[in-house]
Amino acid sequence: MTEHAVVIAGGGPTGLMLAGELALAGVDVAIVERRTSQELEGMRAGGLHARTIELLDQRGIAERFLSQGRTAQIGSFGPGVPLDVGDLPTRHNYGLVLTQSRVEEILAGWVDELGVPIHRGRAVTGFAQDDEGVDVETGDGTPLRARYLVGCDGGRSVVRKAAGIGFPGWDPSVSYIIAEAETAQEPEVGLRHDAKGVHAIGPLGDGTRMRMVIREEEIGNAGEPTLRDLSDALVAVRGTDYGVHDVTWISRFTDMSRQAAAYRDRRVLLAGDAAHIHSPVGGQGLNTGVQDAVNLGWKLAQVVAGMSPEALLDTYHAERHPVGARLLRATMAMTALQRADDRLDALAGILSDVLLLDEPRRRLAAMISGLDVRYDLGDGHPLLGRRMPDLDLETADGPVRAFALLHAGRSVLLNLGAPGAVDADPWGGRVRVVDARHRGPWELPAVGPVAAPAAVLIRPDGHVAWVGEGTDAGLADALAAWVGRPAVASAPAL
């Protein structure tokens, strides 16, 4: 039986990002992926939002993605309600147009460099967990043993179902077929709205094929759609099927919205679509999954290494479940705005007018881009629980960006006061202590300017876990909570 510290079910963006996070921390991790290669058939996610790009920057790999995509203002809150993030305080005040297929290829390359094995052509079909670990069943009968199993295996997650974790939410109100195909007649291209949703046809640029997103009249069809289903949908919404033929690929999606009741059951955890599904409007799914992975990875690594108690894993659900719940509410609202009737048109018009004002537009743009996420770490400085700004810092070794300090995936204690004013000696090399200076204001998306602190403890996911305002009060507790048990015993008080 092959053993690993962590087995990840699913090698999509969430599973790959989680594997990279764990490997950076020295954890023995493996991925089990049903596909025989990283290739994807059909159209999936098409871009990265600002916070996801920041997370990749924190690991020093953002340029791999930026060099392959096209930066643009991709944020929106439904059709006709654009959300420009160009004036938000981040180096990456844009989105990145890049197909999920390419995102996966780049992440897979990074994971391969880190030495993570991917068991391809296999799928997790079940498991049994005990107090010491998880026996993982795979489709080819090859058993695996892991201390922890993470289900990143999509909306129909076998891991979630086998764990008996509930998946409450809302049934679909609309169903779509998305396809690439040829047509005998030239279709009318463009986007249309009706009382039930949106449908669009556009040329692919090769002179023959069209990409189509067509609303279906019937909801609840199971299985993969056929050419006949596409033809029927076209006739229903356009009055003709344009002689559609030679389908390159075809798939179906809905606006079903569901969220796992728990992101953890003892030694089994969920991330990405296994934990939450929703309409693809707004391009939130891939991004939220990657952000789940970055929140979970360092916590799971510290528990596996014995640095932190298992209770640290409970903070994964506590922090990410509210983010997922807000995501479902947002995508449900955006789906409603895709429909066209007099009342919804009036609502969309008023919303568009409101978002011409800077403050509401920035707040909503920060939410859609993921830049406004704040974990509840208690009251105090506005930085607490929020992402650390990527400041330009001056250190004894020269200038450095704040995000560059996070490339190794370790916590950072950033001292901006007198050198040596704070330390983390009992934690040894588990936290990097950096004395630095910063000139200029501190500003947070959706919050605005904040008072410059004397020191901050930055978690590996880039969120601020402690803020020092002239003393080290509370620092030891924050280090114990987020970095783990001290590596060396503190000297006894005299």
CSV table of all heavy atoms in Angstrom, one decimal, residues 310-362:
chain,number,residue,atom,x,y,z
A,310,GLU,N,-4.7,19.8,15.9
A,310,GLU,CA,-5.7,19.7,14.8
A,310,GLU,C,-6.7,20.7,14.9
A,310,GLU,O,-7.4,21.0,13.8
A,310,GLU,CB,-6.4,18.3,15.0
A,310,GLU,CG,-5.5,17.1,14.4
A,310,GLU,CD,-6.4,15.9,14.1
A,310,GLU,OE1,-7.6,16.0,14.2
A,310,GLU,OE2,-5.8,14.9,13.7
A,311,ALA,N,-6.9,21.4,16.0
A,311,ALA,CA,-7.9,22.5,16.1
A,311,ALA,C,-7.6,23.6,15.1
A,311,ALA,O,-8.6,24.3,14.7
A,311,ALA,CB,-7.9,23.0,17.5
A,312,LEU,N,-6.4,23.7,14.6
A,312,LEU,CA,-6.1,24.7,13.6
A,312,LEU,C,-6.9,24.5,12.3
A,312,LEU,O,-7.3,25.4,11.6
A,312,LEU,CB,-4.6,24.8,13.3
A,312,LEU,CG,-4.2,25.8,12.2
A,312,LEU,CD1,-4.4,27.2,12.7
A,312,LEU,CD2,-2.7,25.6,11.9
A,313,LEU,N,-7.2,23.2,12.0
A,313,LEU,CA,-8.0,22.9,10.8
A,313,LEU,C,-9.4,23.4,10.9
A,313,LEU,O,-10.1,23.6,9.9
A,313,LEU,CB,-7.9,21.4,10.6
A,313,LEU,CG,-6.6,20.8,10.2
A,313,LEU,CD1,-6.7,19.3,10.0
A,313,LEU,CD2,-5.9,21.5,9.0
A,314,ASP,N,-9.9,23.6,12.1
A,314,ASP,CA,-11.3,24.1,12.3
A,314,ASP,C,-11.4,25.5,11.8
A,314,ASP,O,-12.4,26.0,11.4
A,314,ASP,CB,-11.7,24.0,13.8
A,314,ASP,CG,-11.9,22.6,14.2
A,314,ASP,OD1,-12.2,21.7,13.4
A,314,ASP,OD2,-11.7,22.3,15.4
A,315,THR,N,-10.2,26.3,11.8
A,315,THR,CA,-10.3,27.6,11.4
A,315,THR,C,-10.5,27.7,9.9
A,315,THR,O,-10.9,28.8,9.3
A,315,THR,CB,-9.0,28.4,11.8
A,315,THR,OG1,-7.9,27.9,11.0
A,315,THR,CG2,-8.7,28.3,13.3
A,316,TYR,N,-10.2,26.6,9.2
A,316,TYR,CA,-10.4,26.6,7.7
A,316,TYR,C,-11.9,26.8,7.4
A,316,TYR,O,-12.3,27.6,6.6
A,316,TYR,CB,-9.8,25.3,7.1
A,316,TYR,CG,-10.2,25.1,5.7
A,316,TYR,CD1,-9.9,26.0,4.7
A,316,TYR,CD2,-11.0,23.9,5.3
A,316,TYR,CE1,-10.3,25.8,3.4
A,316,TYR,CE2,-11.3,23.7,4.0
A,316,TYR,CZ,-11.0,24.6,3.0
A,316,TYR,OH,-11.4,24.4,1.7
A,317,HIS,N,-12.7,25.9,8.1
A,317,HIS,CA,-14.2,26.1,7.9
A,317,HIS,C,-14.6,27.5,8.4
A,317,HIS,O,-15.4,28.1,7.7
A,317,HIS,CB,-14.9,25.0,8.6
A,317,HIS,CG,-16.4,25.2,8.6
A,317,HIS,ND1,-17.2,24.6,7.7
A,317,HIS,CD2,-17.2,25.9,9.5
A,317,HIS,CE1,-18.5,25.0,7.9
A,317,HIS,NE2,-18.5,25.8,9.0
A,318,ALA,N,-14.1,27.9,9.6
A,318,ALA,CA,-14.6,29.1,10.2
A,318,ALA,C,-14.3,30.3,9.3
A,318,ALA,O,-15.1,31.2,9.2
A,318,ALA,CB,-13.9,29.3,11.5
A,319,GLU,N,-13.2,30.3,8.5
A,319,GLU,CA,-12.8,31.4,7.7
A,319,GLU,C,-13.4,31.3,6.3
A,319,GLU,O,-13.8,32.3,5.7
A,319,GLU,CB,-11.3,31.5,7.7
A,319,GLU,CG,-10.7,31.9,9.0
A,319,GLU,CD,-9.2,32.0,9.0
A,319,GLU,OE1,-8.6,31.7,8.0
A,319,GLU,OE2,-8.7,32.5,10.1
A,320,ARG,N,-13.4,30.1,5.7
A,320,ARG,CA,-13.7,30.0,4.3
A,320,ARG,C,-15.2,29.8,4.1
A,320,ARG,O,-15.8,30.1,3.0
A,320,ARG,CB,-12.9,28.9,3.6
A,320,ARG,CG,-11.4,29.2,3.5
A,320,ARG,CD,-11.1,30.5,2.8
A,320,ARG,NE,-11.6,30.5,1.4
A,320,ARG,CZ,-11.5,31.6,0.6
A,320,ARG,NH1,-11.1,32.8,1.1
A,320,ARG,NH2,-11.9,31.5,-0.6
A,321,HIS,N,-15.9,29.2,5.0
A,321,HIS,CA,-17.3,28.9,4.8
A,321,HIS,C,-18.1,30.2,4.6
A,321,HIS,O,-19.0,30.3,3.7
A,321,HIS,CB,-17.9,28.1,6.0
A,321,HIS,CG,-19.3,27.5,5.7
A,321,HIS,ND1,-20.4,28.2,5.9
A,321,HIS,CD2,-19.6,26.3,5.2
A,321,HIS,CE1,-21.5,27.4,5.5
A,321,HIS,NE2,-21.0,26.2,5.1
A,322,PRO,N,-17.9,31.3,5.4
A,322,PRO,CA,-18.6,32.5,5.2
A,322,PRO,C,-18.3,33.1,3.8
A,322,PRO,O,-19.1,33.8,3.2
A,322,PRO,CB,-18.1,33.4,6.3
A,322,PRO,CG,-17.7,32.5,7.4
A,322,PRO,CD,-17.1,31.3,6.7
A,323,VAL,N,-17.0,33.0,3.4
A,323,VAL,CA,-16.7,33.5,2.0
A,323,VAL,C,-17.5,32.7,1.0
A,323,VAL,O,-18.0,33.3,0.0
A,323,VAL,CB,-15.2,33.3,1.8
A,323,VAL,CG1,-14.8,33.7,0.3
A,323,VAL,CG2,-14.4,34.2,2.8
A,324,GLY,N,-17.6,31.4,1.1
A,324,GLY,CA,-18.4,30.6,0.2
A,324,GLY,C,-19.9,31.0,0.2
A,324,GLY,O,-20.5,31.1,-0.8
A,325,ALA,N,-20.4,31.3,1.4
A,325,ALA,CA,-21.8,31.6,1.5
A,325,ALA,C,-22.1,33.0,0.8
A,325,ALA,O,-23.1,33.2,0.2
A,325,ALA,CB,-22.2,31.7,3.0
A,326,ARG,N,-21.2,33.9,1.0
A,326,ARG,CA,-21.3,35.2,0.3
A,326,ARG,C,-21.2,35.0,-1.2
A,326,ARG,O,-21.9,35.7,-1.9
A,326,ARG,CB,-20.3,36.2,0.9
A,326,ARG,CG,-20.4,37.6,0.3
A,326,ARG,CD,-19.4,38.6,0.8
A,326,ARG,NE,-18.1,38.3,0.4
A,326,ARG,CZ,-17.1,39.2,0.5
A,326,ARG,NH1,-17.3,40.4,1.0
A,326,ARG,NH2,-15.9,39.0,0.0
A,327,LEU,N,-20.3,34.2,-1.6
A,327,LEU,CA,-20.2,33.9,-3.0
A,327,LEU,C,-21.5,33.4,-3.6
A,327,LEU,O,-21.9,33.8,-4.7
A,327,LEU,CB,-19.1,32.8,-3.2
A,327,LEU,CG,-19.0,32.1,-4.6
A,327,LEU,CD1,-18.6,33.1,-5.7
A,327,LEU,CD2,-18.0,31.0,-4.6
A,328,LEU,N,-22.2,32.5,-2.9
A,328,LEU,CA,-23.5,32.0,-3.4
A,328,LEU,C,-24.5,33.1,-3.5
A,328,LEU,O,-25.2,33.2,-4.5
A,328,LEU,CB,-24.0,30.9,-2.5
A,328,LEU,CG,-23.7,29.4,-3.0
A,328,LEU,CD1,-22.2,29.2,-3.1
A,328,LEU,CD2,-24.4,28.4,-2.1
A,329,ARG,N,-24.6,34.0,-2.5
A,329,ARG,CA,-25.5,35.1,-2.6
A,329,ARG,C,-25.2,36.0,-3.8
A,329,ARG,O,-26.2,36.4,-4.5
A,329,ARG,CB,-25.5,35.8,-1.3
A,329,ARG,CG,-26.0,35.1,-0.1
A,329,ARG,CD,-26.3,36.0,1.1
A,329,ARG,NE,-25.1,36.7,1.5
A,329,ARG,CZ,-24.2,36.2,2.4
A,329,ARG,NH1,-24.5,35.0,3.0
A,329,ARG,NH2,-23.2,36.9,2.8
A,330,ALA,N,-24.0,36.3,-4.0
A,330,ALA,CA,-23.6,37.2,-5.1
A,330,ALA,C,-23.9,36.6,-6.4
A,330,ALA,O,-24.5,37.3,-7.3
A,330,ALA,CB,-22.1,37.5,-5.0
A,331,THR,N,-23.6,35.3,-6.7
A,331,THR,CA,-23.9,34.7,-8.0
A,331,THR,C,-25.4,34.5,-8.2
A,331,THR,O,-25.8,34.6,-9.3
A,331,THR,CB,-23.1,33.4,-8.1
A,331,THR,OG1,-23.5,32.5,-7.0
A,331,THR,CG2,-21.6,33.6,-8.1
A,332,MET,N,-26.1,34.3,-7.1
A,332,MET,CA,-27.6,34.2,-7.3
A,332,MET,C,-28.1,35.6,-7.7
A,332,MET,O,-29.0,35.7,-8.6
A,332,MET,CB,-28.2,33.7,-6.0
A,332,MET,CG,-28.0,32.3,-5.7
A,332,MET,SD,-28.5,31.8,-4.0
A,332,MET,CE,-30.2,31.9,-4.2
A,333,ALA,N,-27.6,36.6,-7.1
A,333,ALA,CA,-28.1,38.0,-7.5
A,333,ALA,C,-27.7,38.3,-9.0
A,333,ALA,O,-28.5,38.8,-9.7
A,333,ALA,CB,-27.5,39.0,-6.6
A,334,MET,N,-26.4,37.9,-9.4
A,334,MET,CA,-26.0,38.2,-10.7
A,334,MET,C,-26.8,37.4,-11.7
A,334,MET,O,-27.1,37.9,-12.8
A,334,MET,CB,-24.5,37.9,-10.9
A,334,MET,CG,-23.6,38.9,-10.2
A,334,MET,SD,-21.8,38.6,-10.6
A,334,MET,CE,-21.4,37.5,-9.2
A,335,THR,N,-27.2,36.1,-11.4
A,335,THR,CA,-28.0,35.3,-12.3
A,335,THR,C,-29.4,36.0,-12.5
A,335,THR,O,-29.9,36.0,-13.6
A,335,THR,CB,-28.2,33.9,-11.7
A,335,THR,OG1,-26.9,33.3,-11.6
A,335,THR,CG2,-29.1,33.1,-12.6
A,336,ALA,N,-29.9,36.5,-11.4
A,336,ALA,CA,-31.2,37.2,-11.6
A,336,ALA,C,-31.1,38.4,-12.5
A,336,ALA,O,-32.0,38.6,-13.3
A,336,ALA,CB,-31.7,37.7,-10.2
A,337,LEU,N,-30.0,39.1,-12.5
A,337,LEU,CA,-29.8,40.3,-13.4
A,337,LEU,C,-29.6,39.9,-14.8
A,337,LEU,O,-29.7,40.7,-15.7
A,337,LEU,CB,-28.7,41.1,-12.9
A,337,LEU,CG,-28.9,41.9,-11.6
A,337,LEU,CD1,-27.6,42.5,-11.1
A,337,LEU,CD2,-29.9,42.9,-11.8
A,338,GLN,N,-29.4,38.6,-15.1
A,338,GLN,CA,-29.2,38.2,-16.5
A,338,GLN,C,-30.6,38.1,-17.2
A,338,GLN,O,-30.6,38.0,-18.4
A,338,GLN,CB,-28.5,36.8,-16.5
A,338,GLN,CG,-27.0,36.9,-16.2
A,338,GLN,CD,-26.4,35.6,-16.6
A,338,GLN,OE1,-26.9,34.5,-16.3
A,338,GLN,NE2,-25.2,35.6,-17.1
A,339,ARG,N,-31.6,38.0,-16.4
A,339,ARG,CA,-33.0,37.9,-17.0
A,339,ARG,C,-33.5,39.3,-17.4
A,339,ARG,O,-33.0,40.3,-16.9
A,339,ARG,CB,-33.9,37.3,-16.0
A,339,ARG,CG,-33.5,35.8,-15.7
A,339,ARG,CD,-34.2,35.3,-14.5
A,339,ARG,NE,-33.7,33.9,-14.3
A,339,ARG,CZ,-33.8,33.3,-13.1
A,339,ARG,NH1,-34.3,33.9,-12.1
A,339,ARG,NH2,-33.3,32.1,-12.9
A,340,ALA,N,-34.4,39.3,-18.4
A,340,ALA,CA,-34.8,40.6,-18.9
A,340,ALA,C,-36.4,40.6,-18.8
A,340,ALA,O,-37.1,39.9,-19.5
A,340,ALA,CB,-34.4,40.7,-20.4
A,341,ASP,N,-36.8,41.5,-17.9
A,341,ASP,CA,-38.2,41.9,-18.0
A,341,ASP,C,-38.2,43.3,-17.4
A,341,ASP,O,-37.2,43.9,-17.0
A,341,ASP,CB,-39.1,41.0,-17.2
A,341,ASP,CG,-38.8,40.9,-15.7
A,341,ASP,OD1,-38.3,41.9,-15.1
A,341,ASP,OD2,-39.1,39.8,-15.1
A,342,ASP,N,-39.3,44.0,-17.5
A,342,ASP,CA,-39.3,45.4,-17.1
A,342,ASP,C,-38.9,45.7,-15.7
A,342,ASP,O,-38.1,46.6,-15.4
A,342,ASP,CB,-40.8,46.0,-17.3
A,342,ASP,CG,-41.2,46.1,-18.7
A,342,ASP,OD1,-40.3,46.0,-19.6
A,342,ASP,OD2,-42.4,46.2,-19.0
A,343,ARG,N,-39.2,44.8,-14.8
A,343,ARG,CA,-38.8,45.0,-13.4
A,343,ARG,C,-37.3,44.8,-13.2
A,343,ARG,O,-36.7,45.6,-12.5
A,343,ARG,CB,-39.7,44.1,-12.5
A,343,ARG,CG,-41.1,44.5,-12.4
A,343,ARG,CD,-42.0,43.5,-11.6
A,343,ARG,NE,-43.3,43.9,-11.5
A,343,ARG,CZ,-44.2,43.7,-12.5
A,343,ARG,NH1,-43.9,43.2,-13.6
A,343,ARG,NH2,-45.5,44.2,-12.3
A,344,LEU,N,-36.8,43.7,-13.7
A,344,LEU,CA,-35.4,43.5,-13.6
A,344,LEU,C,-34.6,44.5,-14.3
A,344,LEU,O,-33.5,44.9,-13.9
A,344,LEU,CB,-35.1,42.0,-14.0
A,344,LEU,CG,-35.6,40.9,-13.1
A,344,LEU,CD1,-35.4,39.6,-13.7
A,344,LEU,CD2,-34.8,41.0,-11.7
A,345,ASP,N,-35.1,44.9,-15.5
A,345,ASP,CA,-34.3,46.0,-16.2
A,345,ASP,C,-34.3,47.3,-15.4
A,345,ASP,O,-33.3,48.0,-15.4
A,345,ASP,CB,-35.1,46.3,-17.6
A,345,ASP,CG,-34.9,45.1,-18.6
A,345,ASP,OD1,-34.0,44.3,-18.3
A,345,ASP,OD2,-35.6,45.1,-19.6
A,346,ALA,N,-35.4,47.6,-14.7
A,346,ALA,CA,-35.4,48.7,-13.8
A,346,ALA,C,-34.4,48.6,-12.7
A,346,ALA,O,-33.6,49.5,-12.4
A,346,ALA,CB,-36.8,49.0,-13.3
A,347,LEU,N,-34.3,47.4,-12.1
A,347,LEU,CA,-33.3,47.1,-11.0
A,347,LEU,C,-31.9,47.3,-11.5
A,347,LEU,O,-31.1,47.9,-10.9
A,347,LEU,CB,-33.6,45.7,-10.5
A,347,LEU,CG,-32.5,45.3,-9.4
A,347,LEU,CD1,-32.5,46.2,-8.2
A,347,LEU,CD2,-32.8,43.8,-9.0
A,348,ALA,N,-31.6,46.7,-12.7
A,348,ALA,CA,-30.3,46.8,-13.3
A,348,ALA,C,-29.9,48.2,-13.6
A,348,ALA,O,-28.7,48.6,-13.4
A,348,ALA,CB,-30.2,45.9,-14.5
A,349,GLY,N,-30.9,49.0,-14.1
A,349,GLY,CA,-30.6,50.4,-14.4
A,349,GLY,C,-30.2,51.2,-13.1
A,349,GLY,O,-29.3,52.0,-13.1
A,350,ILE,N,-31.0,50.9,-12.0
A,350,ILE,CA,-30.7,51.6,-10.8
A,350,ILE,C,-29.3,51.2,-10.3
A,350,ILE,O,-28.5,52.0,-9.8
A,350,ILE,CB,-31.8,51.4,-9.8
A,350,ILE,CG1,-33.1,52.1,-10.2
A,350,ILE,CG2,-31.4,51.9,-8.4
A,350,ILE,CD1,-34.3,51.7,-9.4
A,351,LEU,N,-29.0,49.9,-10.3
A,351,LEU,CA,-27.7,49.4,-9.8
A,351,LEU,C,-26.6,50.0,-10.6
A,351,LEU,O,-25.6,50.4,-10.1
A,351,LEU,CB,-27.7,47.9,-9.9
A,351,LEU,CG,-26.4,47.2,-9.4
A,351,LEU,CD1,-26.1,47.5,-8.0
A,351,LEU,CD2,-26.5,45.7,-9.6
A,352,SER,N,-26.8,50.1,-11.9
A,352,SER,CA,-25.7,50.7,-12.8
A,352,SER,C,-25.5,52.2,-12.4
A,352,SER,O,-24.4,52.6,-12.4
A,352,SER,CB,-26.1,50.6,-14.3
A,352,SER,OG,-26.2,49.3,-14.7
A,353,ASP,N,-26.6,52.9,-12.1
A,353,ASP,CA,-26.4,54.3,-11.7
A,353,ASP,C,-25.7,54.4,-10.4
A,353,ASP,O,-24.8,55.2,-10.2
A,353,ASP,CB,-27.8,54.9,-11.6
A,353,ASP,CG,-28.5,55.2,-12.9
A,353,ASP,OD1,-27.7,55.1,-13.9
A,353,ASP,OD2,-29.7,55.4,-13.0
A,354,VAL,N,-26.0,53.5,-9.4
A,354,VAL,CA,-25.4,53.5,-8.1
A,354,VAL,C,-23.9,53.2,-8.3
A,354,VAL,O,-23.0,53.9,-7.6
A,354,VAL,CB,-26.0,52.5,-7.2
A,354,VAL,CG1,-25.2,52.3,-5.9
A,354,VAL,CG2,-27.4,52.9,-6.8
A,355,LEU,N,-23.5,52.3,-9.2
A,355,LEU,CA,-22.1,51.9,-9.3
A,355,LEU,C,-21.3,52.9,-10.2
A,355,LEU,O,-20.1,52.7,-10.4
A,355,LEU,CB,-22.1,50.5,-9.9
A,355,LEU,CG,-22.6,49.4,-9.0
A,355,LEU,CD1,-22.5,48.1,-9.7
A,355,LEU,CD2,-21.8,49.4,-7.7
A,356,LEU,N,-22.0,54.0,-10.6
A,356,LEU,CA,-21.2,55.1,-11.2
A,356,LEU,C,-20.6,55.9,-10.1
A,356,LEU,O,-19.6,56.7,-10.3
A,356,LEU,CB,-22.1,56.0,-12.0
A,356,LEU,CG,-22.7,55.4,-13.3
A,356,LEU,CD1,-23.6,56.4,-14.0
A,356,LEU,CD2,-21.5,55.1,-14.3
A,357,LEU,N,-21.0,55.7,-8.8
A,357,LEU,CA,-20.4,56.4,-7.7
A,357,LEU,C,-19.2,55.6,-7.2
A,357,LEU,O,-19.3,54.3,-7.1
A,357,LEU,CB,-21.5,56.5,-6.5
A,357,LEU,CG,-22.8,57.3,-6.9
A,357,LEU,CD1,-23.7,57.2,-5.8
A,357,LEU,CD2,-22.5,58.7,-7.3
A,358,ASP,N,-18.1,56.2,-6.9
A,358,ASP,CA,-16.9,55.5,-6.6
A,358,ASP,C,-17.0,54.6,-5.4
A,358,ASP,O,-16.5,53.5,-5.5
A,358,ASP,CB,-15.8,56.5,-6.4
A,358,ASP,CG,-15.3,57.1,-7.7
A,358,ASP,OD1,-15.5,56.5,-8.7
A,358,ASP,OD2,-14.6,58.2,-7.6
A,359,GLU,N,-17.6,55.1,-4.3
A,359,GLU,CA,-17.5,54.2,-3.1
A,359,GLU,C,-18.3,52.9,-3.3
A,359,GLU,O,-17.7,51.8,-3.0
A,359,GLU,CB,-18.1,55.0,-1.9
A,359,GLU,CG,-18.0,54.1,-0.6
A,359,GLU,CD,-18.4,54.9,0.6
A,359,GLU,OE1,-18.7,56.1,0.5
A,359,GLU,OE2,-18.4,54.3,1.7
A,360,PRO,N,-19.5,52.9,-3.7
A,360,PRO,CA,-20.2,51.6,-3.9
A,360,PRO,C,-19.5,50.7,-5.0
A,360,PRO,O,-19.5,49.5,-4.8
A,360,PRO,CB,-21.6,51.9,-4.3
A,360,PRO,CG,-21.6,53.4,-4.7
A,360,PRO,CD,-20.5,54.0,-3.9
A,361,ARG,N,-19.1,51.4,-6.0
A,361,ARG,CA,-18.4,50.6,-7.1
A,361,ARG,C,-17.1,49.9,-6.5
A,361,ARG,O,-16.8,48.8,-6.8
A,361,ARG,CB,-18.0,51.5,-8.3
A,361,ARG,CG,-17.5,50.8,-9.5
A,361,ARG,CD,-16.0,50.9,-9.6
A,361,ARG,NE,-15.6,52.3,-9.5
A,361,ARG,CZ,-14.3,52.6,-9.3
A,361,ARG,NH1,-13.4,51.7,-9.2
A,361,ARG,NH2,-14.0,53.9,-9.2
A,362,ARG,N,-16.3,50.7,-5.7
A,362,ARG,CA,-15.1,50.1,-5.2
A,362,ARG,C,-15.4,49.0,-4.2
A,362,ARG,O,-14.7,48.0,-4.2
A,362,ARG,CB,-14.3,51.2,-4.5
A,362,ARG,CG,-13.6,52.1,-5.4
A,362,ARG,CD,-12.9,53.3,-4.7
A,362,ARG,NE,-12.3,54.2,-5.6
A,362,ARG,CZ,-12.2,55.5,-5.4
A,362,ARG,NH1,-12.7,56.0,-4.2
A,362,ARG,NH2,-11.6,56.3,-6.2
